[in-house]
Amino acid sequence: MTRPFLFGTNFKMNQTPAESADFYARLAAQVEPQPDVQLFVIPPFTSLSAVTELARQDDRGIWIGAQNMHWAAEGAYTGEISATMLRALGVDLVVLGHAERRRDFHESDPDLNRKVLAALESGLRVLLAVGESAEERQFGVSAETVLRQLKIDLHGVRAEQLPMVQIAYEPVWSIGAGGTPASPQDVEPMAALIRGAMSELFGAAGAAVPILYGGSVDPGNAASFTALEDIDGLFVGRAAWTVEGFLATYRAGLAGKLASRPMG
Ligand code: PGA
């Protein structure tokens, strides 16, 4: 089975509902649904309703994602949002474990595990972000860090739930304005490690889980990552925050994948 090519962006704490709706509408008008290609956009919570409403009117198959959620279905958790609420809006996907949430909001792996299980139970797709910090890399524990994240965050997930899971490998040191892009030589062994661990933990269903790379991806370097055997897509921040940038980075990434592994 060929793994699909995935490409999407996370707007982080940017954009009003009107701005996200405008982005989505212009993107949807310019991309044709394609077999084996899956696009996604992840606006802030306050934009989700505007974007899912557009998707309801004209569904182009683009997954709409949320940037976080709570593990409980409801309750006394001021400021939090549940999977049930996201599903009610028509949200497809949730990112869990983004480096900024782990680092700045102290999200622990056991808490992420509760979120992963709750998201899957409610029917949300999960994009689980893993990756080592600069310090962990310097001490030579990148592999241990990522394995620990995978093992805890996915603990108790059933093999039949894995078609709803995708993993983003995003080394913390490569993300955002202060980040340095990883090289394909950095990414290749980590992607292979993730593939191997998923296979060991879950068998064939684990080996089939798509692995994305993220961290300072742009149209110039996108193909160098997607040419890697174990990289099935890209998870992009800044470079894809305009529709033009999204399309340029997507097309470059897809070209890299097609050159290395003809699909379909
Ligand atoms: P960046 O963000 O592409 O702006 O480095 C990536 C991410 O946070 O996933």
Side-chain angles (χ1 to χ4, degrees):
M1 191 186 80
T2 321
R3 295 187 301 270
F5 179 76
L6 288 103
F7 183 91
T9 186
N10 164 16
F11 295 148
K12 308 192 179 182
M13 196 175 73
N14 294 293
Q15 298 191 356
T16 62
E19 287 166 341
S20 297
D22 179 65
F23 181 103
Y24 177 86
R26 287 192 298 119
L27 178 67
Q30 291 185 65
V31 289
E32 287 299 318
Q34 271 194 60
D36 297 325
V37 172
Q38 181 63 56
L39 302 179
F40 58 93
V41 292
I42 306 185
F45 286 130
T46 44
S47 291
L48 284 172
S49 159
V51 174
T52 53
E53 184 53 37
L54 286 177
R56 237 189 305 276
Q57 290 162 22
D58 180 18
D59 186 0
R60 311 294 300 226
I62 300 170
W63 288 343
I64 298 163
Q67 298 176 16
N68 181 29
M69 55 166 257
H70 196 270
W71 56 78
E74 59 185 18
Y77 300 103
T78 301
E80 293 290 326
I81 285 175
S82 73
T84 318
M85 295 170 184
L86 296 174
R87 289 294 288 151
L89 276 184
V91 169
D92 304 291
L93 171 88
V94 63
V95 185
L96 294 173
H98 189 279
E100 287 151 13
R101 295 220 49 93
R102 292 177 186 267
R103 184 192 63 205
D104 302 336
F105 302 97
H106 314 292
E107 286 201 4
S108 70
D109 287 302
D111 284 352
L112 285 167
N113 179 235
R114 298 208 262 180
K115 294 185 181 198
V116 166
L117 295 175
L120 292 174
E121 285 306 327
S122 77
L124 278 174
R125 297 176 188 279
V126 169
L127 177 56
L128 176 68
V130 297
E132 78 285 359
S133 67
E135 191 183 36
E136 286 158 341
R137 182 177 189 230
Q138 191 196 328
F139 282 120
V141 293
S142 301
E144 289 86 341
T145 301
V146 166
L147 287 178
R148 180 176 188 282
Q149 292 170 340
L150 286 176
K151 279 189 172 171
I152 300 178
D153 301 352
L154 297 175
H155 187 81
V157 171
R158 301 187 306 275
E160 70 264 24
Q161 294 177 307
L162 289 173
M164 299 291 276
V165 175
Q166 19 281 313
I167 293 171
Y169 171 59
E170 300 203 299
V172 181
W173 46 270
S174 77
I175 293 176
T180 349
S183 70
Q185 292 74 30
D186 293 321
V187 175
E188 187 165 36
M190 293 303 289
L193 176 93
I194 293 170
R195 181 82 58 211
M198 290 300 291
S199 166
E200 208 170 289
L201 290 169
F202 299 104
V209 168
I211 302 172
L212 287 67
Y213 170 73
S216 295
V217 173
D218 61 29
N221 63 23
S224 69
F225 300 115
T226 55
L228 300 173
E229 167 64 24
D230 285 312
I231 290 297
D232 304 307
L234 298 168
F235 185 28
V236 184
R238 291 156 297 153
W241 286 347
T242 63
V243 173
E244 298 68 32
F246 183 106
L247 289 171
T249 316
Y250 157 56
R251 286 178 182 140
L254 181 59
K257 182 49 75 194
L258 290 173
S260 71
R261 180 176 84 194
M263 291 188 307

